[in-house]
Protein backbone atom coordinates (compact mmCIF):
# COMPACT_ATOMS: atom_id res chain seq x y z
CA UNK A 1 0.00 0.00 0.00
CA UNK A 2 1.33 3.51 -0.81
CA UNK A 3 2.67 5.36 2.22
CA UNK A 4 3.08 8.91 3.43
CA UNK A 5 6.57 9.95 4.47
CA UNK A 6 7.21 12.62 7.11
CA UNK A 7 10.65 14.19 7.30
CA UNK A 8 11.73 16.98 9.64
CA UNK A 9 15.06 18.38 8.53
CA UNK A 10 17.25 21.41 8.50
CA UNK A 11 17.33 22.15 4.82
CA UNK A 12 17.42 24.76 2.07
CA UNK A 13 15.09 24.60 -0.91
CA UNK A 14 15.45 25.82 -4.49
CA UNK A 15 12.72 25.84 -7.12
CA UNK A 16 13.75 25.96 -10.77
CA UNK A 17 11.06 26.31 -13.41
CA UNK A 18 9.08 29.13 -14.98
CA UNK A 19 10.07 31.10 -11.88
CA UNK A 20 12.91 30.61 -9.42
CA UNK A 21 12.63 30.70 -5.65
CA UNK A 22 15.00 30.05 -2.76
CA UNK A 23 14.34 29.14 0.86
CA UNK A 24 17.44 29.54 3.07
CA UNK A 25 18.44 26.92 5.58
CA UNK A 26 15.95 26.33 8.41
CA UNK A 27 14.17 23.43 10.15
CA UNK A 28 11.15 22.37 8.07
CA UNK A 29 8.60 19.59 7.66
CA UNK A 30 8.64 17.76 4.34
CA UNK A 31 5.62 15.70 3.32
CA UNK A 32 5.90 13.06 0.62
CA UNK A 33 2.33 11.86 0.02
CA UNK A 34 1.19 8.57 -1.42
CA UNK A 35 0.13 10.36 -4.63
CA UNK A 36 3.77 11.40 -5.17
CA UNK A 37 3.38 15.05 -4.26
CA UNK A 38 6.06 16.75 -2.18
CA UNK A 39 5.45 19.82 -0.01
CA UNK A 40 7.63 21.82 2.37
CA UNK A 41 6.09 23.36 5.48
CA UNK A 42 7.13 25.82 8.20
CA UNK A 43 5.55 26.02 11.64
CA UNK A 44 3.80 29.35 11.08
CA UNK A 45 1.75 29.03 7.85
CA UNK A 46 -1.23 26.87 8.90
CA UNK A 47 -1.97 24.45 6.05
CA UNK A 48 -0.23 26.37 3.25
CA UNK A 49 3.19 24.99 2.22
CA UNK A 50 6.20 27.18 1.57
CA UNK A 51 6.79 25.32 -1.67
CA UNK A 52 5.54 22.15 -3.29
CA UNK A 53 5.50 19.93 -6.36
CA UNK A 54 2.19 18.47 -7.50
CA UNK A 55 1.91 14.98 -9.01
CA UNK A 56 2.84 13.43 -11.29
CA UNK A 57 6.44 13.90 -10.29
CA UNK A 58 9.48 11.83 -9.41
CA UNK A 59 11.73 12.02 -6.38
CA UNK A 60 15.43 11.15 -6.58
CA UNK A 61 17.52 11.03 -3.41
CA UNK A 62 21.27 11.54 -3.60
CA UNK A 63 23.08 10.61 -0.38
CA UNK A 64 25.93 12.67 1.01
CA UNK A 65 29.50 11.53 0.55
CA UNK A 66 30.05 10.80 4.24
CA UNK A 67 32.43 13.72 4.71
CA UNK A 68 29.77 16.11 5.87
CA UNK A 69 28.33 16.85 2.45
CA UNK A 70 24.52 17.11 2.63
CA UNK A 71 22.17 14.76 0.89
CA UNK A 72 20.06 16.22 -1.92
CA UNK A 73 16.50 15.45 -2.96
CA UNK A 74 15.52 16.40 -6.50
CA UNK A 75 11.82 16.39 -7.38
CA UNK A 76 10.97 16.74 -11.07
CA UNK A 77 7.49 17.15 -12.59
CA UNK A 78 6.33 16.33 -16.11
CA UNK A 79 7.13 19.87 -17.28
CA UNK A 80 10.77 19.45 -16.22
CA UNK A 81 10.52 21.88 -13.32
CA UNK A 82 12.65 20.98 -10.31
CA UNK A 83 12.35 21.27 -6.56
CA UNK A 84 15.81 20.78 -5.04
CA UNK A 85 15.95 20.12 -1.30
CA UNK A 86 19.40 20.20 0.29
CA UNK A 87 19.31 18.25 3.56
CA UNK A 88 21.84 19.47 6.09
CA UNK A 89 20.49 17.49 9.04
CA UNK A 90 17.60 15.03 9.24
CA UNK A 91 15.86 15.18 12.62
CA UNK A 92 13.03 12.74 11.89
CA UNK A 93 12.15 10.36 9.07
CA UNK A 94 9.12 8.05 9.18
CA UNK A 95 6.57 6.45 6.86
CA UNK A 96 2.92 5.72 7.57
CA UNK A 97 0.08 3.87 5.81
CA UNK A 98 -3.04 6.01 6.09
CA UNK A 99 -5.29 3.83 3.95
CA UNK A 100 -8.29 5.04 1.98
CA UNK A 101 -9.79 8.20 3.43
CA UNK A 102 -13.59 8.09 3.87
CA UNK A 103 -13.88 11.77 2.99
CA UNK A 104 -15.14 14.74 4.94
CA UNK A 105 -18.58 14.39 6.50
CA UNK A 106 -19.89 17.81 7.40
CA UNK A 107 -22.69 18.58 9.81
CA UNK A 108 -25.37 20.57 8.03
CA UNK A 109 -24.52 19.87 4.39
CA UNK A 110 -27.07 20.83 1.78
CA UNK A 111 -28.51 17.31 1.44
CA UNK A 112 -29.20 17.16 5.17
CA UNK A 113 -30.69 20.64 5.18
CA UNK A 114 -32.93 19.63 2.31
CA UNK A 115 -34.11 16.52 4.17
CA UNK A 116 -34.78 18.45 7.37
CA UNK A 117 -36.63 21.27 5.63
CA UNK A 118 -38.77 18.82 3.67
CA UNK A 119 -39.75 17.13 6.94
CA UNK A 120 -40.53 20.53 8.49
CA UNK A 121 -41.85 22.39 5.47
CA UNK A 122 -44.09 24.50 7.70
CA UNK A 123 -40.88 26.30 8.70
CA UNK A 124 -41.35 28.33 5.52
CA UNK A 125 -44.80 29.50 6.59
CA UNK A 126 -48.21 28.42 7.80
CA UNK A 127 -50.06 26.13 5.43
CA UNK A 128 -47.04 25.00 3.40
CA UNK A 129 -47.23 21.43 2.04
CA UNK A 130 -44.56 19.35 0.34
CA UNK A 131 -44.98 18.20 -3.27
CA UNK A 132 -41.64 16.44 -3.47
CA UNK A 133 -37.90 16.70 -2.96
CA UNK A 134 -35.52 16.72 -5.92
CA UNK A 135 -38.19 17.72 -8.45
CA UNK A 136 -36.55 17.13 -11.82
CA UNK A 137 -36.34 19.77 -14.53
CA UNK A 138 -34.56 19.71 -17.89
CA UNK A 139 -31.46 21.27 -16.29
CA UNK A 140 -31.43 19.41 -12.99
CA UNK A 141 -33.46 18.87 -9.84
CA UNK A 142 -35.03 21.61 -7.74
CA UNK A 143 -34.25 20.90 -4.09
CA UNK A 144 -37.86 21.19 -2.90
CA UNK A 145 -41.15 21.79 -4.69
CA UNK A 146 -44.04 22.70 -2.41
CA UNK A 147 -47.24 24.74 -2.14
CA UNK A 148 -47.81 27.70 0.15
CA UNK A 149 -50.91 28.40 2.22
CA UNK A 150 -52.72 29.88 -0.79
CA UNK A 151 -51.98 26.84 -2.95
CA UNK A 152 -49.34 28.53 -5.13
CA UNK A 153 -46.40 26.38 -6.26
CA UNK A 154 -43.08 27.28 -4.66
CA UNK A 155 -39.58 26.15 -5.74
CA UNK A 156 -36.99 26.14 -2.96
CA UNK A 157 -33.24 26.17 -3.61
CA UNK A 158 -31.14 25.28 -0.55
CA UNK A 159 -27.52 26.23 0.09
CA UNK A 160 -25.30 26.20 3.14
CA UNK A 161 -24.02 29.61 2.07
CA UNK A 162 -26.28 31.64 -0.19
CA UNK A 163 -24.38 33.43 -2.92
CA UNK A 164 -25.22 34.95 -6.31
CA UNK A 165 -24.66 31.66 -8.18
CA UNK A 166 -27.43 30.03 -6.15
CA UNK A 167 -29.88 32.81 -7.05
CA UNK A 168 -28.97 32.42 -10.73
CA UNK A 169 -29.55 28.67 -10.46
CA UNK A 170 -32.99 29.14 -8.90
CA UNK A 171 -33.87 31.74 -11.56
CA UNK A 172 -33.23 29.18 -14.31
CA UNK A 173 -35.37 26.59 -12.52
CA UNK A 174 -38.23 29.06 -12.16
CA UNK A 175 -38.12 29.93 -15.84
CA UNK A 176 -38.57 26.26 -16.76
CA UNK A 177 -41.16 25.46 -14.07
CA UNK A 178 -43.33 28.39 -15.10
CA UNK A 179 -43.65 26.87 -18.58
CA UNK A 180 -45.62 23.98 -17.06
CA UNK A 181 -49.31 24.97 -16.94
CA UNK A 182 -49.93 22.42 -14.17
CA UNK A 183 -47.46 24.23 -11.90
CA UNK A 184 -47.52 27.88 -12.99
CA UNK A 185 -47.35 30.38 -11.50
CA UNK A 186 -44.29 29.25 -9.57
CA UNK A 187 -42.43 31.56 -7.21
CA UNK A 188 -39.05 30.96 -5.58
CA UNK A 189 -37.53 30.84 -2.15
CA UNK A 190 -33.75 30.98 -1.70
CA UNK A 191 -32.96 29.24 1.59
CA UNK A 192 -29.54 29.08 3.27
CA UNK A 193 -27.85 29.16 6.64
CA UNK A 194 -26.20 32.41 5.57
CA UNK A 195 -27.21 34.65 2.67
CA UNK A 196 -24.68 37.10 1.29
CA UNK A 197 -25.92 40.70 0.89
CA UNK A 198 -25.31 40.70 -2.88
CA UNK A 199 -27.32 37.48 -3.25
CA UNK A 200 -30.19 38.94 -1.22
CA UNK A 201 -30.29 42.07 -3.40
CA UNK A 202 -30.34 40.00 -6.60
CA UNK A 203 -33.03 37.66 -5.25
CA UNK A 204 -35.24 40.57 -4.21
CA UNK A 205 -34.80 42.19 -7.61
CA UNK A 206 -36.06 38.97 -9.25
CA UNK A 207 -39.01 38.52 -6.93
CA UNK A 208 -37.40 35.62 -5.05
CA UNK A 209 -37.91 35.43 -1.28
CA UNK A 210 -34.96 34.73 1.02
CA UNK A 211 -35.17 32.49 4.06
CA UNK A 212 -32.35 31.98 6.57
CA UNK A 213 -32.27 28.41 7.88
CA UNK A 214 -31.58 27.70 11.55
CA UNK A 215 -29.97 24.28 11.42
CA UNK A 216 -30.29 23.58 15.13
CA UNK A 217 -33.95 24.58 15.11
CA UNK A 218 -34.62 22.29 12.15
CA UNK A 219 -33.09 19.43 14.11
CA UNK A 220 -35.26 20.32 17.08
CA UNK A 221 -32.33 21.42 19.23
CA UNK A 222 -32.95 24.36 21.54
CA UNK A 223 -30.53 27.22 21.09
CA UNK A 224 -28.68 27.75 24.35
CA UNK A 225 -28.63 31.49 23.79
CA UNK A 226 -31.31 33.77 25.22
CA UNK A 227 -34.01 34.47 22.64
CA UNK A 228 -35.79 37.81 22.94
CA UNK A 229 -38.43 37.05 20.30
Amino acid sequence: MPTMRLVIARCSVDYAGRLTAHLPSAPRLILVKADGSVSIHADDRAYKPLNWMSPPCTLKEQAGDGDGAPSVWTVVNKAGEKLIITMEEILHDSTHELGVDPGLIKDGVEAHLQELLADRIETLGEGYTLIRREYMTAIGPVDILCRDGSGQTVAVEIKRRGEIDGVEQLTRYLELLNRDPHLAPVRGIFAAQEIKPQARVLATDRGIDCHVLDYDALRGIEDDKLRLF
Side-chain angles (χ1 to χ4, degrees), residues 198-220:
Q198 300 92 330
R200 188 179 290 274
V201 169
L202 181 61
T204 301
D205 182 67
R206 295 183 177 179
I208 295 171
D209 294 333
C210 292
H211 186 93
V212 176
L213 298 172
D214 186 330
Y215 182 58
D216 286 342
L218 284 172
R219 292 192 301 176

